[in-house]
Amino acid sequence: MEILVCVKRVPMVGGKIVVTADGQDVDTRMSGFTVSPHEECAVEEAVRLVERHGGAATVLTLGPPAAADQLRDMLALGASRAVLLETDGREWGPIATAEAIVAAVRGSAAPTAPAAAAEPLAPGHPYDLLLFGNEAADTGDYQVAVRVAHALGLPCATGIKNLEVTDTGARARREYRGTEEVFDLPLPAVISVKEGINLPRYPSLPGRLRAKRATIEPSGPEWHPEGLRKEWLRVPAGETKRAEILGAGTDAVPALVALLDELGVLP
């Protein structure tokens, strides 16, 4: 079984989010980078399927040269091959990203034109399964997996929390409004998984050493403009907290009693 997992390099934000002065990006000068949690689970799911059914798991990302670090992290988890669609730092939206992935799947470094919708893959498709995270941690687009499936003419299921490969294809399950939905898909197929489908393993020392020595396969997809355009980013206003000092010592007792009575605490 040959599996392709598409991941995205995202900022590792643990504190206050700051936007750059031009309002176009998140300021990551004091942040590290990682892979979206949904996508890390997708890599773990691919590795488990390969362990169970044989084959290989390839991990792919579109990003700057530094994104090779995130690919090596995924190789350390058990992926066997890594492909970097190298960009020049320009913003790639979901449409352009999907086109670049489609071109890579078809074996071309860059599309000569926007990917044709519902154009079936030729026989001998290189991957039995294309896995994505349900959404990226930074933009939350939810679009790339669906766009790739549509362009390649493949069946697609999203928001999956349980996945198994059967003799006839893949069986995917998800929860929707308290009900479990089950999808039986022929292979090849595109599936996006949600965080919680599994618990990603910690990379072993041999895995880290192997990832450090591994060769990252680079290619340079051509950027194509798309209809979406980002105007600016803003950080939503957070909750404001206010503290009121009732007084000091015995002088605060009447105000405290009045407050407790207002809250209905006093009998």
Side-chain angles (χ1 to χ4, degrees):
M1 165 167 272
E2 297 296 323
I3 304 175
L4 176 68
V5 188
C6 297
V7 302
K8 185 179 182 182
R9 179 179 190 256
V10 296
M12 187 187 298
V13 180
K16 183 179 179 181
I17 297 176
V18 179
V19 176
T20 56
D22 60 4
Q24 292 298 307
D25 292 291
V26 175
D27 190 341
T28 57
R29 288 175 297 175
M30 302 301 291
S31 302
F33 287 86
T34 186
V35 167
S36 294
H38 297 281
E39 294 163 353
E40 188 176 6
C41 288
V43 173
E44 173 66 25
E45 195 67 18
V47 172
R48 293 187 184 190
L49 289 172
V50 167
E51 290 173 344
R52 195 173 304 128
H53 301 282
T58 298
V59 62
L60 175 148
T61 193
L62 182 143
D69 292 340
Q70 282 65 54
L71 289 176
R72 293 191 189 280
D73 290 342
M74 298 302 100
L75 288 171
L77 292 180
S80 53
R81 176 172 168 254
V83 178
L84 173 61
L85 305 182
E86 192 172 311
T87 68
D88 58 2
R90 192 178 340 199
E91 182 76 15
W92 286 63
I95 298 174
T97 298
E99 289 177 0
I101 294 172
V102 168
V105 170
R106 293 187 183 280
S108 172
T112 56
E119 180 183 345
L121 286 167
H125 172 42
Y127 300 107
D128 301 294
L129 192 60
L130 281 71
L131 292 181
F132 292 77
N134 202 53
E135 74 268 8
D138 53 352
T139 56
D141 290 320
Y142 296 86
Q143 296 184 38
V144 176
V146 178
R147 290 184 179 276
V148 168
H150 183 63
L152 295 176
L154 297 178
C156 179
T158 62
I160 299 305
K161 293 294 289 286
N162 182 277
L163 177 63
E164 59 181 309
V165 173
T166 66
D167 294 336
T168 57
R171 174 163 291 179
R173 293 180 170 89
R174 71 181 181 190
E175 295 179 4
Y176 179 70
R177 295 184 178 179
T179 302
E180 184 183 61
E181 297 182 335
V182 181
F183 301 90
D184 287 316
L185 300 91
L187 297 180
V190 175
I191 294 176
S192 69
V193 304
K194 295 189 70 173
E195 183 181 9
I197 188 175
N198 55 47
L199 181 62
R201 68 193 70 189
Y202 287 102
S204 63
L205 179 58
R208 288 187 182 277
L209 294 175
R210 180 176 60 84
K212 187 176 181 179
R213 296 191 299 266
T215 299
I216 305 296
E217 302 176 26
S219 69
E222 181 181 349
W223 182 82
H224 291 278
E226 55 184 43
L228 301 176
R229 185 180 65 186
K230 178 173 64 179
E231 295 292 339
W232 70 83
L233 298 176
R234 67 179 179 85
V235 179
E239 295 183 2
T240 57
K241 297 182 180 180
R242 181 172 59 90
E244 181 180 350
I245 300 175
L246 299 177
T250 56
D251 295 337
V253 173
L256 176 60
V257 172
L259 177 61
L260 294 176
D261 184 50
E262 180 183 346
L263 295 175
V265 176
L266 299 179

